[in-house]
Every structure is written in structure tokens, then in C-alpha cells.
Amino acid sequence: GSEVFATASPSKWAAVRELGVEASHIASSRTTEFEGLFRDASGGGGVDVVLDSLAGEFVDASLRLTRAGGRFVEMGKTDIRDAGEVERQHQVAYQAFDLLQQDPGVIGAMMSSLTELFAQGVLRPLPVACWDVRRAVDAFRFLSQARHIGKVVLTVPVGRGAGRAGTVLITGASGALGRLVARHLAVTGQAERLLLVSRRGSAAPGMSELVAELAGYGIPAQVVACDAADRDQLAGVLAGVPVEVPLVGVVHAAGVLDDGLAVALTAERVEAVMRPKVDAAWHLHELTRHAGLESFVLFSSVAGVWGNAGQANYAAANTFLDVLAAYRRREGLPGVSLAWGPWEGGMAGGLTDADWQRMARQGLRPLSGPEGLELLDAAAGAADPLLVAARLDLAALRRSGEVPPLLSALVQAGRSNAPARRTVGDSAAGGDNALVARLAALGPAGQQEILQDLVMEQAALVLGMSGPDVIDAGRTFRDVGFDSLTAVELRNRLNSATGLRLPATVVFDYPTPAVLAAFVVGEVVGESGGVSVGSVAPAGGGVPVDG
């Protein structure tokens, strides 16, 4: 029934309003303006009780705001006033409290009363932000900057091998990585029982053989057909976990690919990729948050960290997993998101040689099964909620000329003194001014030759061909094997080499190396170079989409 006035830093006013304090009764704790604001809002008479944790001029302002005969309760430690002096100057009863000076019996009675009030819902626990004790410096910095609401708590990680035995649930268990993880947990004794969840369940090829193999290691495994993105289905599966072998860990390895340019994505294509990643992860989080799990591992992807061409939907889905792991850690729950590079098996198992070559040029090498599992074990005791587990070829990444900003420092740190092989693209990449100067010194035929060589060389690199000689300047990019994703890669390479910002559809709008080179010449040199930009018309056509 009290009328409450409250101060807080402006960034936290929303949290104060959620507690039921009227907006007109909230002021900043960073200035003493609250004295005048609250006096006016209270009709000029001030307030009856002050609960203080500030110091200096803020205490003085609050004392002036307190009505004669009122009470001033001090929780702070740095500016304790003399009770008699306060009463003489302000006619206010002053009391500073230090719980450590109270009788343990009194504190026990307080705790009993508070416990009952929490049980009845009269009081709610304060928000808690948790930090791994190994990140204590970050936690204290967060606290010192007053960015917290509620309590900041340091958590102590469970030592490896110290956890209790129990059931580990694996989603996407019928996939290559799901099976690999299941065998690994069985062989290493990290699970007493396995719950293997996939949409096809036992109907998936090889699942009966996998169960028999796991039994040979002494680990019983239950295979369940369940769409983890369906909350009710997943809740039913979790309800069936035996109490004598409780759920102690989750590995969320489910996922679906549907690659294509962002402009070609539909709501259905986004949903198809997001659902098994995002919805299933959130349901796992909600349904197990009070289960006392010891591990909660999310299989994410580097696509969400530094991006892969044509994987906007997949990148978004995996970024959600990365954030969910951080959110769980802040809530005091276990959680780690592993942003995997490609494995030799798994989703990358269906890639063509050209796909692997393109990935290699981007500095990514496939992880073998043993390498990936070793990284999985290493992540178990990590302090950070997001870890990138990928095999990088920094030299190849440097040669590509397309280093993601996130990796730039890493590439620089690993730079070799050995000279790199120079190409037409290298000489062009010295800056668009250098390229303009070089082209301006030539006639139209020479300009066309230089740019055509550049286009064909970059096209050969994208397709993993032995050299530009195998590409016919008059043959369409589509005919030599370009799809929407490789077209974007070629566009990006030409952007780097020329300093231009070509449209994503340029490879299909100007469908042969000769036509594309003429267009690029026009963009670089313009009318002054003797090339008429308007003399080359787009071949039309929109953006092709590949499944």
C-alpha cells in the first residue's frame, strides 16, 4: 500500500517500471535532481521512509527530502552518518544496518519469513547474471560499469569426469555426425545411456546396427522417432527418460541445408532450415532448464560467424544457437555452441571436388572424425560459450585475397615471409587507380584483353580448373558449370581485383567472359577510355537458384 519513489540509472528505468513503479515516480540515481522531482510529485511534503545505498551529496539530498519524523535506513558502507546528528539536523530517525552484526538467530528468522514469502509468490527472486569463475575479471568489469540488474554470480565449472552418470540425448542422431558422437560418448564412457533422436528414428538406415554396436560397448541406446522442433513430441520423449538414469547431457546436432542466394530465399526455405536448428534448440532449452544438466552442446557452423556465400538462412539459424549458448551461461546453465568448419563426413559429405576446392581457397580444410571429436572433448571444459572449431589454412586464405574481417588479425599473425605467386588479379588488386592507369594506356582491344584475361583467370580459380586456358571466352558461364553460389564468388573476386561494386547478378547479366570483360572495362574506364558502357546490354534473366 506504499507510494514508492525510486532512483536508477536511466538505462534501467524499464526494469523499475516492471516492478510496478509509476514513470512519474522514477528519477536518475546519477544526479540529485530526484530531490526536487520527488518533492513536487509528493505534493511538497517529501517522503516518509528512505532506503539508501548511495553516498555524499546524494545522502544529503535524500535527508532533506525526508519528512520530519520520518525514517532513513542506510544500507551503504562508505558514508555512515551519526544518528544523533542526523536527528538533530533533520528530525529524522537514522539507522545503518550491517547484517554481519546481527545475531544468527535473527538472521535465521528473517530467512524463514522470506522463504515463505517467496513460496507464496509475494516476493520474486532477483535477476541473476552468471559468469564462469575463469571470467571473473569480465564479471567485475561488468559490475563496476553498473550494467547489471540484480546479482552477478560466479559459477564454478564441473570438473571433467566428476559428473554423475546418466542419459545423454543426441538430436540428428541418424546423421553422420550424430552417429560419430554417439560412438564417441559410448567408447569414452561419457554416457551411461544414450537417447538417439531423429525424425525417422529406427527407420533411418543403419540405426539398428548402431544400437548393436553401442551395446557392444556396454551402453544401452534408445532410438526414438521425434521431430524435436515439435515441443509436444519432444516433451513426451523427455518424460520417458528413466528416473534411475536421468538426463545429464544434450547434444543438438540436427540440421538441414537449403543453400541459395538471399534474394532467392522464400519464407518456406528459411523456415525449413531454421526449424530443426532454432525451434528444436529452444524447446530443448525450455524443457531441460530445470533438469540439472551437466552439458548442453549445440552444433553450430562457421557460416554464422564469418559467413558463406549462399547460406544466409543457415547462417541465421546457427547464429541463434551461438546466442542461445551465451544466454544459458548468463542464466547459470551449461551451454556451449561449437561453430564447426567442414567435416569429412556430415553435411559436407555430399560436396563435389569443385566445392572442396572452392572451400580450400577460402582457407577451410575438412576435419577428420578423430580431429573433430578431439575438439568436442576440448570444448567440454571451456570458459567461453562460443568456440570456433575449424581447420584453417591461413596461407590459402591470404592467397584468396578475400579475408573475412573477423580473421584479418589471425591471417596477419600467421603471415609468411615467402613471396606469394603473382597473378593478373594480384596486379589489378593493387588498387582501382593502378588498374585504371594501366587500362588508360591501352587502346580498346588491349583493355578488353587485360580484363578478359582477369575474368577468365578468376573464373578458373572459382571452378577449380587448372588454368584460364580451359575456359572459352565466348562460352556462357552457366555452360562451364557456374551456379548462383559460384557466380557470387566470381563477382566478389572481380570486386577485389577492380575496386568496383558489381551487382550479385553480373555473371548472369553478362553471361560470357568476353561480354563481362567489356562491361567491366566500361565500369573501370568509362567513356574516357574509349569504351561505351551502353554498348553492352545485359543478357537478362534474374538470378538462378540451386538447391
Side-chain angles (χ1 to χ4, degrees):
S2 299
E3 183 180 3
V4 178
F5 296 82
T7 61
S9 59
S11 63
K12 301 181 182 181
W13 286 0
V16 179
R17 287 195 297 269
E18 289 177 2
L19 295 173
V21 181
E22 298 177 20
S24 62
H25 285 35
I26 302 174
S28 174
S29 58
R30 298 293 187 256
T31 73
T32 58
E33 293 179 357
F34 65 83
E35 179 183 355
L37 293 172
F38 289 172
R39 190 181 303 280
D40 293 342
S42 63
V47 299
D48 299 294
V49 179
V50 170
L51 182 63
D52 183 72
S53 60
L54 300 175
E57 61 180 339
F58 295 92
V59 174
D60 298 324
S62 292
L63 284 170
R64 293 191 297 267
L65 185 59
T66 310
R67 291 171 179 164
R71 289 179 292 155
F72 193 100
V73 181
E74 177 61 74
M75 297 190 300
K77 307 294 182 185
T78 61
D79 190 9
I80 306 301
R81 305 295 174 93
D82 180 85
E85 186 66 17
V86 169
E87 186 169 7
R88 186 184 66 79
Q89 290 187 4
H90 300 281
Q91 293 79 53
V92 169
Y94 178 92
Q95 176 67 61
F97 281 97
D98 187 340
L99 281 178
L100 297 181
Q101 295 178 358
Q102 300 302 310
D103 182 271
V106 174
I107 296 179
M110 292 178 182
M111 296 299 292
S112 296
S113 298
L114 289 170
T115 299
E116 184 176 347
L117 292 172
F118 279 116
Q120 295 172 354
V122 176
L123 298 178
R124 290 183 298 169
L126 291 172
V128 170
C130 297
W131 301 75
D132 189 291
V133 70
R134 292 165 291 182
R135 303 288 298 277
V137 172
D138 297 330
F140 277 107
R141 183 178 297 112
F142 186 78
L143 190 67
S144 69
Q145 294 170 347
R147 295 166 61 189
H148 63 295
I149 294 176
K151 296 297 182 182
V152 175
V153 176
L154 297 178
T155 61
V156 179
V158 177
R160 188 171 178 181
R164 69 189 191 280
T167 298
V168 175
L169 181 152
I170 302 175
T171 67
S174 62
L177 296 188
R179 297 168 191 245
L180 202 61
V181 170
R183 293 188 185 95
H184 180 66
L185 296 180
V187 170
T188 57
Q190 296 183 50
E192 183 180 1
R193 176 178 176 272
L194 288 170
L195 181 55
L196 307 179
V197 174
S198 66
R199 283 180 292 181
R200 297 180 63 186
S202 299
M207 290 307 288
S208 58
E209 291 83 356
L210 177 63
V211 170
E213 182 182 351
L214 296 173
Y217 299 127
I219 303 299
Q222 179 186 4
V223 179
V224 178
C226 170
D227 180 1
D230 185 311
R231 196 179 193 279
D232 292 338
Q233 285 188 39
L234 183 59
V237 170
L238 293 172
V241 176
V243 293
E244 61 273 16
V245 195
L247 189 70
V248 295
V250 166
V251 178
H252 181 38
V256 171
L257 288 174
D258 186 6
D259 294 349
L261 294 181
V263 293
L265 294 178
T266 63
E268 292 75 19
R269 294 182 68 183
V270 172
E271 173 72 8
V273 173
M274 297 283 274
R275 193 171 184 274
K277 285 279 188 184
V278 173
D279 293 0
W282 185 251
H283 296 332
L284 286 166
H285 160 70
E286 285 190 318
L287 294 171
T288 66
R289 67 180 307 162
H290 301 298
L293 297 184
E294 295 176 359
S295 65
F296 192 93
V297 182
L298 301 164
F299 273 34
S300 180
S301 169
V302 293
V305 178
W306 64 72
N308 288 334
Q311 291 193 315
N313 49 1
Y314 192 61
N318 285 290
T319 299
F320 177 87
L321 301 187
D322 302 340
V323 177
L324 176 59
Y327 174 74
R328 284 181 59 87
R329 288 288 190 95
R330 192 57 63 87
E331 293 285 303
L333 300 169
V336 62
S337 184
L338 292 175
W340 292 108
W343 291 57
E344 290 176 350
M347 290 183 175
L351 296 179
T352 65
D353 288 342
D355 292 327
W356 282 116
Q357 291 172 12
R358 182 169 68 249
M359 203 170 293
R361 291 192 300 276
Q362 296 170 346
L364 282 173
R365 300 290 184 181
L367 289 164
S368 67
E371 287 173 333
L373 295 174
E374 186 176 354
L375 291 174
L376 177 63
D377 285 344
D384 296 299
L386 170 59
L387 301 169
V388 176
R391 187 179 175 194
L392 297 180
D393 183 342
L394 299 182
L397 197 55
R398 282 195 298 272
R399 288 194 300 269
S400 73
E402 299 177 15
V403 180
L406 188 66
L407 300 180
S408 57
L410 187 63
V411 169
Q412 289 296 327
R415 181 175 292 277
S416 168
N417 292 325
R421 181 177 62 89
R422 294 185 61 81
T423 65
V424 173
D426 293 328
S427 61
D432 54 327
N433 290 334
L435 182 61
V436 169
R438 186 180 179 194
L439 294 178
L442 302 172
Q447 293 171 345
Q448 175 71 16
E449 181 181 358
I450 291 294
L451 263 300
Q452 189 168 295
D453 286 346
L454 173 63
V455 169
M456 293 170 65
E457 181 175 276
Q458 297 301 320
L461 286 172
V462 169
L463 294 179
M465 295 181 174
S466 57
D469 296 339
V470 299
I471 295 181
D472 185 340
R475 194 177 177 192
T476 68
F477 291 108
R478 193 190 299 273
D479 287 342
V480 297
F482 272 85
D483 57 26
S484 53
L485 303 186
T486 48
V488 170
E489 184 180 352
L490 177 56
R491 184 283 305 262
N492 292 342
R493 285 177 168 273
L494 292 176
N495 281 350
S496 298
T498 63
L500 297 174
R501 297 189 64 181
L502 300 170
T505 59
V506 70
V507 172
F508 295 104
D509 290 341
Y510 302 91
T512 70
V515 173
L516 178 56
F519 171 72
V520 175
V521 167
E523 291 296 295
V524 173
V525 180
E527 296 286 349
S528 62
V531 177
S532 173
V533 177
S535 65
V536 181
V543 182
V545 178
D546 300 291

